[in-house]
Amino acid sequence: MNIESLERFKKELNQIREYLKHIQYVNDVAAYHVQDNDNEQIKNLLNTLSSHDRGFRTDRRIFEYKASIISLYGLIEKYVEIWIKEYLDFLSSVIPEYTQIHEKIRENHFELSLKLINTITTRESAKYQRLTKEEVLNKLNNCIVNPTKYQINTDAFVLLSGNLKHNKIVELFNKLNLDLNEELLKNEELKNEIGLNQNTISRIEKDILYKKINDLVERRNQIAHGSEEVDDILSISELEPYIQFLEKYCQAIFQTLFEELIKQESIHIFQKIENVINTYGNKVLAFELENYTIKVGDMLIVETKEGRFYKKPILTIELDKTEYRELTIIEKTSIGVSVEPKIKNNQTFYIIKK
């Protein structure tokens, strides 16, 4: 998975923000009191807008509220599905053999693929028209008979029943062998948005932490199921906290999957640097290397003491106070590489296997 899909999410969320901003600008103009010295054309336009607003104001507010809620919920469902499928696709490119994928994921892949076949067979849904039961079975069979060239039925892991409240998203992540509740509480931006510190986390039910997500789903259900009366309409200013929380929440979900992929890369594609000498200025790593060609632009994986994973490109390479763009080491040699801050001595480092 790549950062572009996160940027697309942010762009779509910002479009909703701009839509609400535009509504506020229109409201401000509609509330303007025409002055005697105003241009006649402007007077006519403002009077027309004000007159229309007086008659349509309540219905307009309801429509704008409905459009905003449905759009916000739609982003959750759309991008949780996209990111889970991207994660599984990238996972299959990182882990060389199907048998090396965690047993829980493999068990779920089998059971969920059978459910997907049943869904394709029994439901007429545009969502699954591009799939055939033969294609799903073929992928499942290849995982067994040709485990080095396997593909995962990613659609099987996002078979949705009911709306995506927080606990439902947690269930989807459990199928990936990921404890989302635990992972989200490692995300500092989300914790700050919720207003949590380590002392309060253990005393609070998880559903309470994510009540804005659950409330958004409930409001969407009320709208989608055709309730005649829409109570408790949120104003533009009241919607903004939902948008802000949704942004941090979804970014944390993306980061959870992104970091797990880096973790899997550290296991299957990278190798641990066994002989770390020291770190300097939070950006230079000194370590021993042998039988290796290293170059600027190679990636360094950093595992923090808390178990979080990051990738950092190597910016410079130095040996005996001389900088190199590329360096081939035969015998065990101490070198220094620089990366973007911050790195620390209590972290674990990995370089790509060569």
Side-chain angles (χ1 to χ4, degrees), residues 94 260-270 301 311:
V94 169
E260 180 61 25
L261 279 178
I262 297 175
K263 178 181 178 181
Q264 293 302 321
E265 285 185 304
S266 75
I267 297 169
H268 298 283
I269 298 178
F270 283 63
I301 288 181
K311 260 183 177 180

Side-chain angles (χ1 to χ4, degrees), residues 198-222:
Q198 204 61 42
N199 295 326
T200 60
I201 290 173
S202 59
R203 304 199 303 268
I204 301 177
E205 292 292 331
K206 300 299 186 295
D207 274 353
I208 297 175
L209 298 181
Y210 308 108
K211 61 184 178 181
K212 280 191 173 68
I213 299 299
N214 294 338
D215 186 47
L216 188 63
V217 175
E218 290 293 345
R219 290 173 181 275
R220 180 265 179 192
N221 288 344
Q222 183 185 35

Side-chain angles (χ1 to χ4, degrees), residues 113-157:
S113 292
L114 297 182
K115 287 185 180 180
L116 179 60
I117 291 170
N118 183 61
T119 300
I120 294 169
T121 305
T122 59
R123 294 186 194 175
E124 291 186 7
S125 172
K127 182 175 181 180
Y128 300 108
Q129 282 181 357
R130 60 186 174 77
L131 298 174
T132 66
K133 57 184 183 293
E134 290 81 8
E135 178 187 352
V136 176
L137 277 170
N138 187 51
K139 285 185 178 180
L140 197 57
N141 182 60
N142 277 342
C143 290
I144 299 168
V145 301
N146 198 4
T148 59
K149 295 183 179 180
Y150 68 94
Q151 284 182 294
I152 296 174
N153 287 307
T154 59
D155 287 278
F157 284 83

